[in-house]
Amino acid sequence: MLNVYLSGEIHTDWRDQIEAGAKGLNITFSAPVTDHGASDDCGVAILGAEPDKFWHDRKGAQLNAIRTRMGIEEADVVVVRFGDKYKQWNAAFDAGYAAALGKALIILQPEEHDHALKEVDAAALAVARTSDQVVQILRYVLEGTLPKA
Amino acid sequence: MLNVYLSGEIHTDWRDQIEAGAKGLNITFSAPVTDHGASDDCGVAILGAEPDKFWHDRKGAQLNAIRTRMGIEEADVVVVRFGDKYKQWNAAFDAGYAAALGKALIILQPEEHDHALKEVDAAALAVARTSDQVVQILRYVLEGTLPKA
Amino acid sequence: MLNVYLSGEIHTDWRDQIEAGAKGLNITFSAPVTDHGASDDCGVAILGAEPDKFWHDRKGAQLNAIRTRMGIEEADVVVVRFGDKYKQWNAAFDAGYAAALGKALIILQPEEHDHALKEVDAAALAVARTSDQVVQILRYVLEGTLPKA
Amino acid sequence: MLNVYLSGEIHTDWRDQIEAGAKGLNITFSAPVTDHGASDDCGVAILGAEPDKFWHDRKGAQLNAIRTRMGIEEADVVVVRFGDKYKQWNAAFDAGYAAALGKALIILQPEEHDHALKEVDAAALAVARTSDQVVQILRYVLEGTLPKA
Amino acid sequence: MLNVYLSGEIHTDWRDQIEAGAKGLNITFSAPVTDHGASDDCGVAILGAEPDKFWHDRKGAQLNAIRTRMGIEEADVVVVRFGDKYKQWNAAFDAGYAAALGKALIILQPEEHDHALKEVDAAALAVARTSDQVVQILRYVLEGTLPKA
Amino acid sequence: MLNVYLSGEIHTDWRDQIEAGAKGLNITFSAPVTDHGASDDCGVAILGAEPDKFWHDRKGAQLNAIRTRMGIEEADVVVVRFGDKYKQWNAAFDAGYAAALGKALIILQPEEHDHALKEVDAAALAVARTSDQVVQILRYVLEGTLPKA
Amino acid sequence: MLNVYLSGEIHTDWRDQIEAGAKGLNITFSAPVTDHGASDDCGVAILGAEPDKFWHDRKGAQLNAIRTRMGIEEADVVVVRFGDKYKQWNAAFDAGYAAALGKALIILQPEEHDHALKEVDAAALAVARTSDQVVQILRYVLEGTLPKA
Amino acid sequence: MLNVYLSGEIHTDWRDQIEAGAKGLNITFSAPVTDHGASDDCGVAILGAEPDKFWHDRKGAQLNAIRTRMGIEEADVVVVRFGDKYKQWNAAFDAGYAAALGKALIILQPEEHDHALKEVDAAALAVARTSDQVVQILRYVLEGTLPKA
């Protein structure tokens, strides 16, 4: 059984695509909370409001860290997706975190970011362009079979 | 003696400011290669040209990784600077790498990036706004003295 | 599945509250022996009496350590509760032990102890005031859902 | 050469006593910042004021953690002193942190705290009552000589 | 669930006593091969005879090491029994191996060996005299209950 | 239950022999992808063609590394088979990788390679000549029984 | 200061070339014993003759392992050279050992071995063809300077 | 530079022989306290008398553990000497402790103990019969030179 953590971009349905494509494979997927609002406000919603946005964010980021670090630490494979928009520093942070733990790292990103992601890519065992390629990699790793030409 | 690795932005003189400010403290500083051209092209300059930019970048990023990983692994404190421009995913990657190794992490960044860096900041022991604050932290950690009010 | 170790104060029913509140979540809770008398006397009850109270305590504390260290080491999340009374050094010891192992740490404590617990809190990913907040954190970490406003 | 970290109580001169007694031994001592005011306020003094005391404390505790964790991690022996007053949860936290890292732990404490410290003592290789006993232990460990009867 | 490895003396039925006494507890026991003849000769029986007794022993000891190291590494608790006869250096070796891995160690030995085993005992969380005491410890660790007075 | 990773030579049916011989034992076997063509071309088949054979190989070798490293890291026992032909450097690499992780290592190789494999053999707990011997070792490790004379 | 371990082929003067080229750089080089005869016979020369070549080799390989493992474990960078002749399984074993420890790995090998070494190369941060390239990498890593075009 | 810890038997001058023989080699030797009386009584001499011999021994053994664990943990090579007399379980314990930490282990023992020490020997990289052989091994490891025939 393979534990796969799906880190990064939360504005498209790439996680659903991968989970759907991997149906039938012996994989357990995990991921951060992908509800953007909940992810931003969880800290103050549970532990009380903060007038200063910096500490508002800190409270939330630390609660999210409980989940994300556990997800990465328990994963065999960490997939990190970089999308078109936003800074996405948390994605790169997760990639560094996973790399330092020796996790098998797959980066999923459009070609336009190749140069900016070169250090991240260099720590990965695969750089994929599509969710489907990630599925094919997971199937190959588990079952040794390749997509038909 | 304190080993401090200065990661991140390479277009301003923040490293020089910190090293100058820390003169007299028992600190050894290390850093990535900050010559942008050399950093980009080191791989092909030494190991031979690559027609494909992706592998050109890979060869260079892997050589740089020899230095950067050693710098982080040997550091007691890792300072990661985020500037105004560029994607800076390698900086966030270094922060994640350092966090996973349990290094004391100091993030140096302008306030405008606070929300985008909230996960990175949440893994740090300090978020500084100026190089001078970083120097004051290092002095306090080593000598227990605070700046005069 | 989440392993949660509930460390600290054993004179109120906070563990029961958390376990009741977390009913239905995929969590396995563990805890020290909370029968105060058994916890104090287990060593001599099993291994023979000691005339010197110091060694009486030592024998017991070492037996309890078999359980508490295993509980912390196997936990994903360690909750440490500080109450109103007693020295509670064992609670702070557990927090330090968990922090050094990189466990996700939640401190549950009344505001009056904030200053005295500042080093402990600074190693935690959350500081909660009520058992219910701990439950909400665990639910959010597992299911991504927040309490209704 | 022996690295010894002196953790805990900062209101008496026990550290000075140990360092004076150990003069001539091949030991490097380290310790937290023992200036109580600086220790409490370092965070806001360097990184800016916080209206909320909780975050005021957090900023300071995290800066102090840079020094204390490094001190413990680099130590061969960690001495933790519990005095007569205050909660001293940071001392117990340091003891737990050191224990989890497998450090040789010496607890220095008055008999009156024996029962309350039994879990902490049970993780230690020695429980001393006086600074002089700590010095004798360090001398014995380094040179194999005992105090004259 | 508790993994308990029963190391040491193989000439009495102490392992059976413990397993019988622990019936009903959630424990998985493991142990070395206790058939003395098989343990001595396994190497040459499988991999071919050796004219030199030293290598005869080496081949066997290395096969046994596959099982014993795995047993210790997977254990939560390691019980090491010292009996009346023989050198029993393998038992002391296992105790040292378990101690270095931070396992909870219980030594089961007659009083007459107390002085000779003082370094081994000092690394243990309990020194028991009877198999029944070991059972009581395991029951207390798992269920928090003590034997009736 | 024993996890056994079968590394090395992929041109004979030695893995099938071992798995057949071990039928009934509580073992989970894993192995690299043994379809030579798929193993060589997986990288470009999934992630796109490379004109340069060096990077063609790199892409494939990195995908295979996801599976092989996971196999070794999760294994209790790593069996590495050296056959008659080819360089088999990946087999020796796997043996070194497993040795550094402290895995129980069994080398399966013909006598003619004894001298060339002496460093590899010296890191192993057994050097076997036949698949049947490997099965006998696994049975002995699990059940303590030897083949009948 | 950089610790560099030079593993592998011992029949050409590649180590001398690298050490000469790196003169003036702050590097400490280490290596296996490169006297082929001494390396083969050290075990029996010191510890007594063995009639069986297998154990003759074992005794020597284990003595050499004291040096080689220490060399790899203390290294920041491990260079592994594959030459034209012999099986060189010990070189590949060292590469795997270094990779599992997370060492920065540089492979030095002629192009003709590219396919056979693809798994080894895929674990490396650089694949060099000449000793001079290795020197240039080490200079770049330490000083950030590239060879003149 | 090589750190060598000399564990075990303290009634003959084998340590002196090794240190004398190794004169001129770049080695730092460490060892337990070899004054038998001091070693037995250090605990009570420093920390106060114990009426019960068991705790008298415990106090001493724990002080000695500060030195012996540090010696083993800092060593590159651990030599363990078994002599003719006594139980010597602490020697076997040290060997197991060193083995679990992956230290290079050399056992120094008379042939008559071969069978009883087979598990210990099987974890070692050399089994020597004389102090001179140990010196020759250390010289070979450091300088690559063998004794003249």
Side-chain angles (χ1 to χ4, degrees):
Chain A
M1 203 260 291
L2 204 65
N3 285 305
V4 177
Y5 184 76
L6 301 172
S7 167
E9 185 251 302
I10 61 170
H11 301 94
T12 67
D13 66 346
W14 68 278
R15 284 184 185 81
D16 297 333
Q17 290 176 26
I18 288 177
E19 296 194 32
K23 188 165 289 183
L25 293 175
N26 191 11
I27 299 178
T28 300
F29 289 99
S30 60
V33 171
T34 56
D35 174 338
H36 198 152
S39 173
D40 266 12
D41 297 330
C42 59
V44 296
I46 295 175
L47 296 169
E50 290 293 330
D52 185 337
K53 188 61 161 61
F54 183 83
W55 298 116
H56 174 116
D57 280 349
R58 172 64 54 90
K59 273 180 159 178
Q62 289 197 326
L63 287 200
N64 286 314
I66 299 177
R67 179 173 172 130
T68 55
R69 288 187 201 167
M70 197 169 67
I72 294 174
E73 280 156 21
E74 291 180 354
D76 302 302
V77 176
V78 175
V79 181
V80 186
R81 159 89 177 144
F82 290 84
D84 296 326
K85 295 190 230 160
Y86 305 106
K87 295 292 187 185
Q88 306 185 79
W89 283 321
N90 58 331
F93 180 88
D94 281 0
Y97 199 92
L101 298 180
K103 300 294 174 183
L105 195 59
I106 299 173
I107 306 300
L108 174 56
Q109 47 118 319
E111 272 188 69
E112 69 203 73
H113 289 332
D114 274 3
H115 186 64
L117 281 170
K118 66 184 197 293
E119 289 87 1
V120 177
D121 289 353
L125 290 175
V127 177
R129 304 304 185 191
T130 69
S131 296
D132 194 43
Q133 287 178 327
V134 174
V135 171
Q136 292 176 17
I137 291 171
L138 296 175
R139 175 168 291 119
Y140 176 73
V141 165
L142 276 171
E143 308 198 334
T145 53
L146 291 176
K148 285 174 190 142
Chain B
M1 205 260 291
L2 204 65
N3 286 305
V4 177
Y5 184 76
L6 302 172
S7 167
E9 184 251 302
I10 61 170
H11 302 94
T12 66
D13 66 344
W14 68 278
R15 285 183 184 80
D16 297 333
Q17 289 176 25
I18 289 177
E19 297 194 30
K23 188 165 288 183
L25 293 175
N26 191 11
I27 299 178
T28 300
F29 289 99
S30 60
V33 171
T34 55
D35 173 339
H36 198 153
S39 173
D40 267 12
D41 297 331
C42 60
V44 296
I46 295 175
L47 297 169
E50 289 293 329
D52 184 336
K53 187 64 161 61
F54 183 84
W55 298 116
H56 175 116
D57 280 350
R58 172 64 54 89
K59 274 180 159 178
Q62 289 197 325
L63 287 200
N64 286 314
I66 299 177
R67 178 173 173 132
T68 56
R69 288 188 202 165
M70 196 169 69
I72 295 174
E73 280 156 21
E74 291 180 353
D76 302 302
V77 176
V78 175
V79 182
V80 185
R81 159 87 179 147
F82 290 83
D84 297 325
K85 296 189 231 159
Y86 306 105
K87 296 293 187 185
Q88 306 185 77
W89 283 321
N90 58 330
F93 180 88
D94 281 0
Y97 198 93
L101 298 180
K103 299 295 173 182
L105 195 59
I106 300 173
I107 306 299
L108 173 56
Q109 47 117 320
E111 272 189 71
E112 68 201 74
H113 289 331
D114 274 3
H115 186 63
L117 281 171
K118 68 184 195 295
E119 290 86 2
V120 177
D121 288 353
L125 289 175
V127 177
R129 304 304 186 190
T130 68
S131 296
D132 194 43
Q133 287 177 328
V134 174
V135 171
Q136 292 175 17
I137 292 171
L138 297 175
R139 175 169 290 118
Y140 176 73
V141 166
L142 277 170
E143 307 198 334
T145 53
L146 291 177
K148 289 182 186 132
Chain C
M1 206 260 291
L2 204 65
N3 286 305
V4 177
Y5 184 76
L6 301 172
S7 168
E9 186 251 303
I10 61 169
H11 302 93
T12 66
D13 66 346
W14 68 278
R15 285 183 183 80
D16 297 333
Q17 290 176 25
I18 289 176
E19 297 194 31
K23 188 164 288 181
L25 293 175
N26 191 10
I27 299 179
T28 300
F29 288 100
S30 60
V33 171
T34 56
D35 174 338
H36 198 152
S39 174
D40 266 12
D41 297 330
C42 59
V44 296
I46 295 175
L47 296 169
E50 290 293 330
D52 184 337
K53 187 61 161 60
F54 183 84
W55 298 117
H56 174 116
D57 280 349
R58 172 63 55 89
K59 274 181 159 177
Q62 289 197 324
L63 288 200
N64 286 314
I66 299 177
R67 178 172 173 133
T68 55
R69 288 187 203 166
M70 197 169 67
I72 295 174
E73 280 156 20
E74 291 180 354
D76 302 302
V77 175
V78 175
V79 181
V80 185
R81 160 87 177 145
F82 289 84
D84 296 326
K85 296 188 232 159
Y86 305 105
K87 296 291 187 184
Q88 306 185 78
W89 284 321
N90 58 331
F93 180 87
D94 282 0
Y97 199 92
L101 298 180
K103 300 295 173 183
L105 195 59
I106 299 174
I107 306 301
L108 173 56
Q109 46 118 320
E111 271 189 70
E112 68 201 75
H113 289 331
D114 275 3
H115 187 63
L117 281 170
K118 67 184 197 293
E119 289 86 2
V120 177
D121 288 353
L125 290 175
V127 177
R129 304 305 185 189
T130 69
S131 297
D132 194 44
Q133 288 177 329
V134 174
V135 172
Q136 291 175 18
I137 292 170
L138 297 175
R139 175 168 291 118
Y140 176 72
V141 166
L142 276 171
E143 307 199 336
T145 53
L146 291 176
K148 282 169 193 151
Chain D
M1 205 260 291
L2 204 65
N3 286 305
V4 177
Y5 184 76
L6 302 172
S7 167
E9 184 250 303
I10 62 171
H11 301 94
T12 65
D13 66 346
W14 68 278
R15 284 184 185 82
D16 296 334
Q17 289 176 26
I18 289 178
E19 297 194 31
K23 188 165 288 181
L25 293 175
N26 191 10
I27 299 179
T28 300
F29 289 99
S30 59
V33 171
T34 56
D35 173 339
H36 198 153
S39 174
D40 266 12
D41 297 330
C42 59
V44 297
I46 295 175
L47 296 169
E50 290 293 330
D52 185 337
K53 187 62 161 60
F54 183 83
W55 298 117
H56 174 116
D57 280 348
R58 172 65 54 89
K59 273 181 158 177
Q62 289 197 324
L63 287 200
N64 285 315
I66 299 177
R67 178 173 172 131
T68 57
R69 289 187 202 167
M70 197 169 67
I72 295 174
E73 280 156 22
E74 291 180 354
D76 302 302
V77 176
V78 175
V79 182
V80 185
R81 159 91 177 141
F82 290 84
D84 296 325
K85 297 189 229 159
Y86 306 105
K87 296 292 187 185
Q88 306 184 79
W89 284 321
N90 58 331
F93 180 88
D94 282 0
Y97 198 93
L101 298 181
K103 300 295 174 182
L105 194 59
I106 299 173
I107 306 300
L108 173 55
Q109 46 117 320
E111 272 189 70
E112 69 201 76
H113 289 331
D114 275 3
H115 187 64
L117 281 170
K118 67 183 197 293
E119 290 87 0
V120 177
D121 288 354
L125 290 175
V127 177
R129 303 305 185 189
T130 68
S131 296
D132 194 42
Q133 288 178 328
V134 175
V135 172
Q136 292 175 19
I137 291 171
L138 297 175
R139 175 168 291 118
Y140 176 72
V141 166
L142 276 170
E143 308 198 335
T145 54
L146 292 176
K148 285 173 189 142
Chain E
M1 206 261 291
L2 204 64
N3 286 305
V4 177
Y5 184 76
L6 301 172
S7 168
E9 185 251 302
I10 61 171
H11 301 94
T12 67
D13 65 345
W14 68 277
R15 285 184 183 82
D16 297 334
Q17 290 176 25
I18 289 177
E19 297 194 31
K23 188 165 288 181
L25 293 175
N26 191 10
I27 299 179
T28 300
F29 289 99
S30 59
V33 171
T34 56
D35 174 338
H36 198 152
S39 174
D40 266 13
D41 297 329
C42 59
V44 295
I46 295 175
L47 297 169
E50 290 292 330
D52 185 338
K53 188 61 162 58
F54 183 83
W55 298 117
H56 175 116
D57 281 349
R58 172 64 54 90
K59 274 181 158 177
Q62 290 197 325
L63 288 200
N64 286 315
I66 299 177
R67 178 172 172 133
T68 56
R69 288 188 202 165
M70 196 168 68
I72 295 174
E73 280 156 21
E74 291 180 355
D76 302 303
V77 176
V78 175
V79 182
V80 185
R81 160 87 176 145
F82 290 83
D84 296 326
K85 295 187 230 160
Y86 306 104
K87 296 292 187 185
Q88 307 184 76
W89 285 320
N90 58 330
F93 180 88
D94 282 359
Y97 198 94
L101 298 181
K103 300 295 173 181
L105 194 59
I106 299 173
I107 306 299
L108 173 56
Q109 47 118 320
E111 271 189 71
E112 68 202 76
H113 289 331
D114 275 4
H115 187 63
L117 281 170
K118 66 184 198 293
E119 290 86 1
V120 177
D121 288 353
L125 290 175
V127 177
R129 303 306 185 188
T130 69
S131 296
D132 194 44
Q133 288 178 327
V134 175
V135 172
Q136 291 176 18
I137 291 170
L138 297 175
R139 175 168 293 117
Y140 175 73
V141 166
L142 276 171
E143 307 198 336
T145 53
L146 292 176
K148 280 165 193 153
Chain F
M1 204 261 291
L2 204 64
N3 286 305
V4 177
Y5 184 76
L6 302 172
S7 167
E9 185 252 302
I10 61 171
H11 301 95
T12 66
D13 66 346
W14 68 278
R15 285 184 184 80
D16 297 333
Q17 290 176 25
I18 288 177
E19 297 194 30
K23 188 165 288 181
L25 294 175
N26 191 10
I27 299 178
T28 300
F29 289 99
S30 60
V33 172
T34 55
D35 173 339
H36 198 152
S39 174
D40 266 13
D41 297 329
C42 60
V44 297
I46 295 175
L47 296 169
E50 289 292 329
D52 185 337
K53 187 63 162 58
F54 183 85
W55 298 116
H56 174 116
D57 280 349
R58 172 64 54 89
K59 274 180 158 177
Q62 289 197 325
L63 288 200
N64 285 315
I66 300 177
R67 178 174 173 131
T68 56
R69 288 187 201 167
M70 197 169 68
I72 295 174
E73 280 156 19
E74 291 180 354
D76 302 302
V77 176
V78 175
V79 181
V80 185
R81 159 88 177 146
F82 289 83
D84 296 325
K85 296 188 232 162
Y86 306 104
K87 295 293 187 185
Q88 306 185 77
W89 284 321
N90 58 330
F93 180 88
D94 282 0
Y97 198 93
L101 298 181
K103 300 294 174 183
L105 194 59
I106 299 174
I107 307 299
L108 174 56
Q109 47 117 320
E111 272 188 69
E112 69 201 75
H113 289 331
D114 275 3
H115 186 64
L117 281 170
K118 67 183 197 293
E119 289 86 2
V120 177
D121 288 353
L125 289 175
V127 177
R129 303 306 185 189
T130 69
S131 296
D132 194 44
Q133 288 177 327
V134 175
V135 171
Q136 292 175 18
I137 292 171
L138 297 175
R139 174 168 291 119
Y140 176 73
V141 166
L142 276 171
E143 308 198 334
T145 53
L146 292 177
K148 282 169 192 148
Chain G
M1 206 261 291
L2 204 64
N3 285 305
V4 177
Y5 184 75
L6 301 172
S7 168
E9 185 252 303
I10 62 170
H11 301 93
T12 67
D13 66 346
W14 68 278
R15 285 183 183 80
D16 297 333
Q17 290 177 25
I18 288 177
E19 296 194 30
K23 188 165 287 181
L25 293 175
N26 191 11
I27 299 178
T28 300
F29 289 99
S30 60
V33 171
T34 55
D35 174 338
H36 198 153
S39 173
D40 266 12
D41 297 330
C42 58
V44 297
I46 295 175
L47 297 169
E50 289 293 330
D52 185 337
K53 188 62 162 60
F54 183 84
W55 299 116
H56 175 117
D57 280 349
R58 171 64 54 91
K59 273 180 159 178
Q62 289 197 325
L63 288 200
N64 285 315
I66 299 177
R67 178 172 172 131
T68 56
R69 288 188 202 166
M70 197 168 68
I72 295 174
E73 280 156 20
E74 291 180 353
D76 302 302
V77 175
V78 175
V79 182
V80 185
R81 159 88 178 145
F82 290 84
D84 296 325
K85 296 189 230 158
Y86 307 104
K87 296 292 187 185
Q88 306 185 76
W89 284 321
N90 58 331
F93 180 88
D94 282 0
Y97 198 93
L101 298 181
K103 300 294 174 182
L105 195 58
I106 299 173
I107 305 300
L108 173 56
Q109 46 119 320
E111 271 189 69
E112 69 203 73
H113 289 332
D114 275 3
H115 186 64
L117 281 170
K118 67 185 197 291
E119 290 86 1
V120 177
D121 289 353
L125 290 175
V127 177
R129 304 305 185 187
T130 68
S131 296
D132 194 43
Q133 288 178 328
V134 174
V135 172
Q136 291 175 18
I137 291 170
L138 297 175
R139 176 168 291 118
Y140 176 72
V141 165
L142 277 171
E143 308 199 334
T145 53
L146 291 176
K148 283 170 192 148
Chain H
M1 205 261 291
L2 204 64
N3 286 305
V4 177
Y5 184 76
L6 301 172
S7 167
E9 186 251 302
I10 61 171
H11 301 93
T12 65
D13 66 345
W14 68 277
R15 285 184 183 80
D16 297 334
Q17 289 176 26
I18 288 177
E19 298 194 30
K23 188 164 288 180
L25 293 175
N26 192 10
I27 299 179
T28 300
F29 289 100
S30 60
V33 171
T34 56
D35 174 338
H36 199 153
S39 173
D40 267 12
D41 297 330
C42 59
V44 297
I46 295 175
L47 297 170
E50 290 292 329
D52 185 338
K53 187 63 161 60
F54 183 84
W55 298 116
H56 174 116
D57 281 348
R58 172 64 53 89
K59 273 181 160 178
Q62 289 197 324
L63 288 200
N64 286 314
I66 300 177
R67 178 173 172 131
T68 56
R69 289 188 201 166
M70 197 168 68
I72 295 174
E73 280 156 21
E74 290 180 355
D76 302 302
V77 176
V78 175
V79 181
V80 186
R81 160 89 177 143
F82 290 84
D84 296 325
K85 297 189 230 157
Y86 306 104
K87 296 293 188 184
Q88 307 186 75
W89 284 321
N90 58 329
F93 180 87
D94 282 0
Y97 198 93
L101 298 181
K103 300 295 174 183
L105 194 59
I106 299 173
I107 306 300
L108 173 56
Q109 46 117 319
E111 272 189 69
E112 68 202 75
H113 289 331
D114 275 3
H115 187 63
L117 282 170
K118 67 184 197 292
E119 290 86 1
V120 178
D121 288 353
L125 290 175
V127 177
R129 304 305 185 188
T130 68
S131 296
D132 194 43
Q133 287 177 328
V134 174
V135 172
Q136 291 175 18
I137 291 170
L138 297 175
R139 175 168 291 117
Y140 176 73
V141 166
L142 276 171
E143 308 199 335
T145 54
L146 292 176
K148 281 167 195 152

